[in-house]
Amino acid sequence: MIAYLSKVLPQFILPAGLAAILLFLTLFLIKKKPKTAIWLVLISLLLVSTAGNAYFSAFLTRSLEWRYMPLTGEVKADAIVLLGGGTEAPDTPRQMVEINSAGDRVLYAAQLYKAGVAPLIILSGGNMSYSQARSTTPAEEMQAMLVGLGVPQEALVLQKQSQNTAEDAYFTSAILAEKQIRTVILVTSAAHMERALMMFASPEISIIPAPTDYSVTQRSWNNLMRWDWKTILTHIMPAGGAIAQTDLILHEYLGIFFYRVKFLWESLGMQLPSLKGLLR
């Protein structure tokens, strides 16, 4: 149920979904309470205009992604932990496993393995229990991609039970303990790294962050910050891609917020239902 809520609840509070709900409410209020309906339309317009603005989206994304930079220098670990989310299952007319916008995770893990930073890659990712949308698990899909990239089968360990980031950490930690692994390189998207590190934090394991899949680069940021009229006119209007990116980053910030609230309550000796799994 928590995994299901982690997919459904954010839709009601993130900008795109919230704006749609407010506009829907105006249909019932426009005759009886026209002033309230106008305010709801204005709030919806503000949400879409802000979330869909390239400047706001890039600033928000940069604030989270740039907290962790890619690995530099010579690094060694006992294993690489690769989190799922970068692949698409084969399904008609798609004839093979393909990578999506987060597929850099898989490519980066293969690169790290071939560079000799770790002898093992643990692939973490299962399917949502309520969904029949995939014929294979993300862990299996990443396995197929990595083998195709030249990583030997015996170097791959699959964890196919998890349905969200909290479960990624829980089930993967059991594998790490079983194999007596003490140092791991954690590979995931840069925007996801902060929350992933919170989940994987453990006194028994040393975690080395290896983010990839950056949406905002130095060049793209510098180009966006050129305050000439052509650049401003190009980016000032709301765009679907910017709204989707804003939703993604706010989703991550919500997860970080709920985790910190849970940690605070527990540090005070109070019991709080598990919240860290509410946001995938």
Side-chain angles (χ1 to χ4, degrees):
M1 179 58 72
I2 287 180
Y4 175 74
L5 292 176
S6 72
K7 300 293 290 185
V8 174
L9 290 181
Q11 299 180 54
F12 293 91
I13 54 178
L14 294 177
L18 183 57
I21 292 172
L22 294 179
L23 289 174
F24 179 75
L25 290 176
T26 61
L27 298 177
F28 300 93
L29 297 174
I30 194 166
K31 288 186 177 181
K32 294 183 178 179
K33 297 184 177 181
K35 290 185 178 180
T36 302
I38 291 173
W39 275 109
L40 292 182
V41 171
L42 291 175
I43 293 172
S44 301
L45 181 61
L46 179 63
L47 284 171
V48 172
S49 300
T50 303
N53 181 275
Y55 293 99
F56 177 81
S57 179
F59 174 81
L60 194 66
T61 300
R62 184 175 182 265
S63 73
L64 187 58
E65 286 188 341
W66 286 28
R67 295 185 184 187
Y68 298 95
M69 292 288 108
L71 291 177
T72 57
E74 187 173 343
V75 180
K76 294 289 184 179
D78 300 323
I80 298 167
V81 173
L82 173 58
L83 301 188
T87 57
E88 301 293 342
D91 186 27
T92 304
R94 191 188 301 132
Q95 297 301 302
M96 61 182 182
V97 175
E98 297 180 1
I99 58 174
N100 56 34
S101 60
D104 299 342
R105 303 180 185 186
V106 182
L107 302 178
Y108 191 33
Q111 179 184 354
L112 291 174
Y113 175 83
K114 291 182 178 181
V117 302
L120 198 68
I121 305 179
I122 300 173
L123 311 176
S124 181
N127 287 330
M128 306 294 284
S129 59
Y130 65 88
S131 175
Q132 302 296 322
R134 302 176 90 108
S135 58
T136 54
T137 65
E140 293 168 329
E141 294 156 17
M142 292 188 294
Q143 178 188 39
M145 291 294 300
L146 288 169
V147 170
L149 291 169
V151 178
Q153 181 74 46
E154 56 270 22
L156 304 175
V157 178
L158 274 65
Q159 186 284 106
K160 303 184 291 184
Q161 297 174 269
S162 57
Q163 300 182 63
N164 53 39
T165 306
E167 291 185 0
D168 278 331
Y170 177 80
F171 291 114
T172 301
S173 294
I175 295 176
L176 298 178
E178 178 186 347
K179 295 185 175 296
Q180 297 183 332
I181 292 172
R182 294 291 177 262
T183 305
V184 303
I185 294 174
L186 182 61
V187 177
T188 189
S189 298
H192 185 235
M193 183 59 74
E194 177 84 0
R195 185 158 59 98
L197 286 173
M198 287 182 172
M199 303 300 179
F200 276 85
S202 168
E204 291 83 21
I205 303 172
S206 176
I207 306 292
I208 302 172
T212 186
D213 183 31
Y214 288 89
S215 298
V216 178
T217 65
Q218 186 66 63
R219 185 179 298 275
S220 68
W221 177 257
N222 290 342
N223 287 338
L224 189 64
M225 291 298 107
R226 292 185 307 169
W227 294 103
D228 60 85
W229 70 269
K230 290 182 179 179
T231 300
I232 294 173
L233 188 61
T234 301
H235 296 102
I236 197 66
M237 291 299 292
I243 292 176
Q245 183 65 21
T246 298
D247 274 4
L248 186 151
I249 299 301
L250 288 177
H251 184 279
E252 291 297 329
Y253 271 120
L254 282 171
I256 294 168
F257 170 76
F258 279 122
Y259 182 84
R260 287 179 175 169
V261 168
K262 181 179 185 296
F263 178 81
L264 176 61
W265 277 63
E266 290 179 347
S267 68
L268 296 174
M270 306 176 72
Q271 294 297 317
L272 189 71
S274 179
L275 292 175
K276 64 181 180 181
L278 284 179
L279 294 170
R280 187 177 175 79

